[in-house]
Amino acid sequence: MHAAEVVRRRLQAQHLRGRRLEHPAEVVSALLAVQGQELPVARWSLGRRLADATDADVRRALDDGEVLRTHALRPTWHLLAREDLRWVLALTSPRVLRACAPAFRRTGLDDETLARTDVLVARVVERLSAKAHPTRTEVGAALAAEGFEAGPETVGFAMMHAELGGLVVSGRARGTLHTYAPADERAPAGLDLAGDEALVELVRRFLAGHGPAAVRDVAWWATLTLTQVRRALAALGDAVERVEVDGHELWWVPSDDELAAPSSDRPRVDVLQVYDEVFGSFPTTRSLADPAGLGAARPTDYASLHVVLVDEQLTAWWQRRVERGVVEARVHPLRALSSAERAAVLAEFEAYGRFADQEVAVTLP
């Protein structure tokens, strides 16, 4: 196996090549989780893997609770299927919470205070949800009425702690506003996994839905120790295979699906968010998608930077801004693009516009 094949296998494992899926919940279940920090483009991450879907379809799955958005796996937002919420949190949250402890303390949230806010958050979210799932601002006001007055940052960290503890999770959106709901309401049951059984299942699902990947990639993605990942690989035995590519030891779950051949007649373009699982999940081996090191050249505004792959290789960054209902997409090529590549990039942005049901104005130097 060589680097280009590794990237193609990752794209196929993540349903960006080959078979597309039918429902947003199928996507997050197949990948186990999808990073959802920037929700509008995270919804595109799901849509990109679906056979025929619109942004409205993905929003509906989120509103109905078939896909949940919460802090999990790392100190950031992820999208998960409701049946995976509880066991994933139980397995990974203890280490995530330890990593977050300095930030909690900085905002005045010591262990005693967090124990109190967990109770308060669960209580006020349940009470307010009887009328409508509350926004963070509404939860903050209710907490103040209960005697816990704090600024937006502290309230945000208190909510994160309650999410990581499996007390609250995403509710039905109010326009563009995120809301919260009791986890017992949105995910009353799930897979019954714990301990090493859960650990092995997480590593297997990650490799099946992302691989090939390095041990450090898996550990970073789920805030696991290297020892935990290696123990899971040993338990998986013949269910996983090891390959070495460009000095990287990689593991994957072999698939019966035939690997899609690289395009020979026209460029294959993927317009993705920077946190898309096919690019953002591999801190150790991301260079396999950028063998020329083009990604070192980047605009200074990293917060709004996204990814364009051409024939499975990083070829451009793009930035997204919405002005008066129009998505402005500014593309920053990292090398000269052929006329066929430019046309393919523009066609992919047209597909994004159809998905989002928005006009997309592309600037492509």
Side-chain angles (χ1 to χ4, degrees):
M1 194 180 297
H2 49 78
E5 182 181 340
V6 169
V7 179
R8 288 204 306 276
R9 287 194 181 279
R10 288 174 176 176
L11 287 160
Q12 187 151 317
Q14 296 197 27
H15 299 278
L16 289 168
R17 298 287 185 274
R19 183 175 63 91
R20 295 296 198 268
L21 300 175
E22 299 297 324
H23 191 279
E26 282 187 85
V27 176
V28 293
S29 181
L31 276 65
L32 184 56
V34 171
Q35 188 164 339
Q37 183 169 329
E38 295 188 27
L39 188 55
V41 283
R43 294 195 299 266
W44 170 237
S45 284
L46 302 193
R48 192 65 180 72
R49 293 161 166 86
L50 293 167
D52 182 23
T54 65
D55 191 49
D57 296 322
V58 179
R59 287 174 181 265
R60 190 176 305 112
L62 283 157
D63 280 345
D64 291 346
E66 295 170 339
V67 175
L68 300 171
R69 181 175 183 244
T70 194
H71 283 86
L73 295 160
R74 303 189 302 280
T76 191
W77 298 96
H78 279 85
L79 308 178
L80 294 98
R82 58 164 57 125
E83 63 269 18
D84 289 320
L85 176 72
R86 294 188 178 280
W87 73 268
V88 168
L89 288 175
L91 175 65
T92 62
S93 286
R95 283 180 53 81
V96 178
L97 288 168
R98 286 197 291 274
C100 293
F104 291 151
R105 290 193 294 269
R106 177 177 56 78
T107 54
L109 296 171
D110 57 22
D111 290 345
E112 182 178 349
T113 304
L114 285 166
R116 176 184 170 218
T117 59
D118 276 352
V119 173
L120 291 175
V121 165
R123 185 165 69 214
V124 301
V125 168
E126 182 177 15
R127 174 168 54 81
L128 295 173
S129 292
K131 182 177 181 181
H133 294 147
T135 65
R136 182 182 296 181
T137 299
E138 291 168 342
V139 173
L143 291 175
E146 294 269 358
F148 181 76
E149 296 190 44
E153 183 182 30
T154 302
V155 171
F157 277 126
M159 298 305 296
M160 178 194 292
H161 192 273
E163 288 176 286
L164 288 165
L167 299 173
V168 297
V169 72
S170 59
R172 182 176 292 272
R174 292 223 230 125
T176 61
L177 296 178
H178 179 87
T179 68
Y180 296 89
D184 285 345
E185 171 194 328
R186 303 284 271 180
L191 297 180
D192 185 15
L193 297 169
D196 272 10
E197 185 182 11
L199 173 66
V200 171
E201 178 67 0
L202 184 146
V203 172
R204 186 193 67 80
R205 294 266 296 274
F206 177 86
L207 293 176
H210 291 74
V215 168
R216 288 185 181 275
D217 291 328
V218 186
W220 174 85
W221 188 81
T223 316
L224 300 173
T225 66
L226 300 179
T227 299
Q228 284 178 301
V229 177
R230 292 186 180 114
R231 188 165 76 243
L233 290 171
L236 285 164
D238 292 340
V240 293
E241 290 186 6
R242 173 191 174 278
V243 294
E244 189 162 325
V245 179
D246 292 354
H248 297 290
E249 181 186 62
L250 305 176
W251 297 84
W252 66 304
V253 175
S255 169
D256 293 334
D257 294 338
E258 183 177 351
L259 180 62
S263 175
S264 58
D265 57 343
R266 59 181 178 176
R268 185 66 183 264
V269 171
D270 296 276
V271 169
L272 306 169
Q273 63 147 327
V274 72
Y275 302 116
D276 191 278
E277 294 294 310
V278 83
F279 187 77
S281 300
F282 306 99
T284 305
T285 60
R286 192 176 299 151
S287 60
L288 296 174
D290 184 23
L294 299 178
R298 64 177 71 237
T300 56
D301 183 10
Y302 181 77
S304 59
L305 208 57
H306 302 295
V307 176
V308 178
L309 303 181
V310 176
D311 293 331
E312 293 87 38
Q313 301 296 306
L314 177 64
T315 304
W317 302 115
W318 68 282
Q319 293 171 290
R320 177 186 180 276
R321 185 175 67 173
V322 180
E323 288 288 337
R324 298 179 181 178
V326 176
V327 177
E328 297 179 357
R330 181 171 181 81
V331 183
H332 303 269
L334 299 172
R335 61 164 175 79
L337 301 178
S338 70
S339 58
E341 288 172 338
R342 291 174 65 87
V345 169
L346 293 173
E348 184 73 358
F349 276 107
E350 289 177 5
Y352 172 50
R354 290 192 297 273
F355 167 81
D357 194 24
Q358 287 182 282
E359 179 183 349
V360 179
V362 182
T363 302
L364 177 55

